[in-house]
Amino acid sequence: MAVGVFDSGLGGLTVLDAAVKRLPDVPFVYFGDNAHAPYGVRDAEDIYQLTTAAVERLWDEGCDLVVLACNTASAAALRRMQESWIPRDKRVLGVFVPLIEALTERQWGDNSPPREVSVQHVALFATPATVRSRAFQRELAFRAIGVDVEAQACGGLVDAIEEGDMILAEALVRSHVDALKRKMPDPQAAILGCTHYPLMFDIFQDALGPEVKLLSQADLVPESLADYLTRHPDMMGRGTVSKFLTTGDPAKVSRHATSFLKRQISFEKA
């Protein structure tokens, strides 16, 4: 009864690793579209086509439920997919909502009207495509009022992380935080709006300062997924084997993934 997890590259492994720990009896099939990463610099139509192709591949693996552990895909493609593409017996979930519900202190599935919340100034760090989509602000408006969101497009950061260049990645994080603080000097909370970014969590926190509450999907999505599966056990697909698939070079992707997670990961060609 496998669940699919999709990302444009390796960032979704941060969500997958936490989900495996939370749901150890659930087989997960991970699909990384490394041949086309990063998505954050692509246009919305391109992202939609790549995302739907990847989701169909995970359906072929017996994953009736797929988590888009890619903020860019969630922002640029998910709404269109849900409105006109996903069949009734399948589900595709994004990763924004659990973050926003944690930020606004709402329970999963709370559909009450938007209300004032304690956090009024929020920094969002994301890819250029996610920032352009304004999907985070749209989803937040369904749940909260009066929240000022300042978004910072973190150009180059995903590439640096994917290539394992952590010196460059740290320099980029600090540069992007400085740019954000010039626009919003005192954010109360900050969102890591890309699943690659939790790999740089400590650097973001250090650059922002200890007083800023830093929210990461790797910490929040697994609990939301566990709750969803409790309420919708019929969405567990027919797949039974955990595996890792990539459109890139399996040997190279496996090396980088093993370095990321500090355990042996072996990718197969998708």
Side-chain angles (χ1 to χ4, degrees):
M1 298 190 296
V3 172
V5 177
F6 165 69
D7 187 46
S8 61
L10 296 177
L13 292 173
T14 61
V15 170
L16 175 71
D17 203 40
V20 168
K21 292 173 182 175
R22 176 64 181 83
L23 298 162
D25 296 328
V26 175
F28 287 92
V29 180
Y30 184 88
F31 184 105
D33 191 13
N34 301 78
H36 301 106
Y39 280 16
V41 297
R42 295 180 176 274
D43 63 38
E45 181 62 29
D46 201 12
I47 295 165
Y48 177 83
Q49 296 298 334
L50 290 169
T51 302
T52 52
V55 169
E56 286 185 321
R57 181 67 177 82
L58 286 167
W59 286 343
D60 290 343
E61 290 290 331
C63 303
D64 292 344
L65 171 64
V66 175
V67 178
L68 298 187
C70 174
N71 288 267
T72 301
S74 294
L78 181 57
R79 179 173 289 260
R80 179 178 167 189
M81 291 167 65
Q82 290 174 332
E83 289 176 347
S84 61
W85 183 76
I86 301 169
R88 289 186 177 183
D89 62 339
K90 312 289 186 187
R91 292 290 183 277
V92 179
L93 305 177
V95 286
F96 272 135
V97 172
L99 269 179
I100 291 171
E101 292 187 332
L103 179 68
T104 58
E105 299 178 345
R106 293 172 73 114
Q107 294 297 314
W108 178 260
D110 180 350
N111 294 317
S112 60
R115 57 178 179 263
E116 291 187 356
V117 295
S118 58
V119 176
Q120 296 292 300
H121 304 287
V122 177
L124 169 66
F125 297 97
T127 66
T130 297
V131 170
R132 285 196 306 271
S133 75
R134 295 189 61 82
F136 178 84
Q137 291 91 326
R138 183 178 65 241
E139 293 290 346
L140 181 63
F142 291 144
R143 296 163 179 83
I145 56 177
V147 180
D148 179 25
V149 177
E150 189 64 59
Q152 176 63 34
C154 298
L157 183 53
V158 168
D159 291 295
I161 293 172
E162 286 276 328
E163 291 301 318
D165 190 342
M166 293 303 147
I167 295 174
L168 175 59
E170 178 174 346
L172 287 168
V173 167
R174 296 189 183 279
S175 174
H176 290 311
V177 170
D178 285 345
L180 183 284
K181 282 191 165 184
R182 287 195 291 272
K183 298 178 286 185
M184 179 181 279
D186 297 302
Q188 295 168 280
I191 302 292
L192 297 184
C194 172
T195 48
H196 286 75
Y197 298 174
L199 294 163
M200 309 299 296
F201 186 98
D202 291 345
I203 306 301
F204 272 104
Q205 189 71 77
D206 183 65
L208 287 162
E211 70 283 357
V212 179
K213 182 180 182 181
L214 189 57
L215 296 175
S216 161
Q217 285 144 335
D219 298 328
L220 299 169
V221 171
E223 194 60 43
S224 292
L225 177 60
D227 178 72
Y228 184 88
L229 290 172
T230 297
R231 292 183 291 111
H232 303 281
D234 56 309
M235 290 314 302
M236 293 292 289
R238 66 190 183 281
T240 58
V241 178
S242 294
K243 63 177 66 175
F244 297 85
L245 304 172
T246 179
T247 57
D249 175 4
K252 178 181 178 182
V253 174
S254 297
R255 286 196 302 272
H256 285 170
T258 297
S259 176
F260 281 178
L261 295 187
K262 304 298 188 287
R263 61 183 175 89
Q264 185 63 43
I265 303 294
S266 296
F267 274 81
E268 305 171 23
K269 192 69 175 178

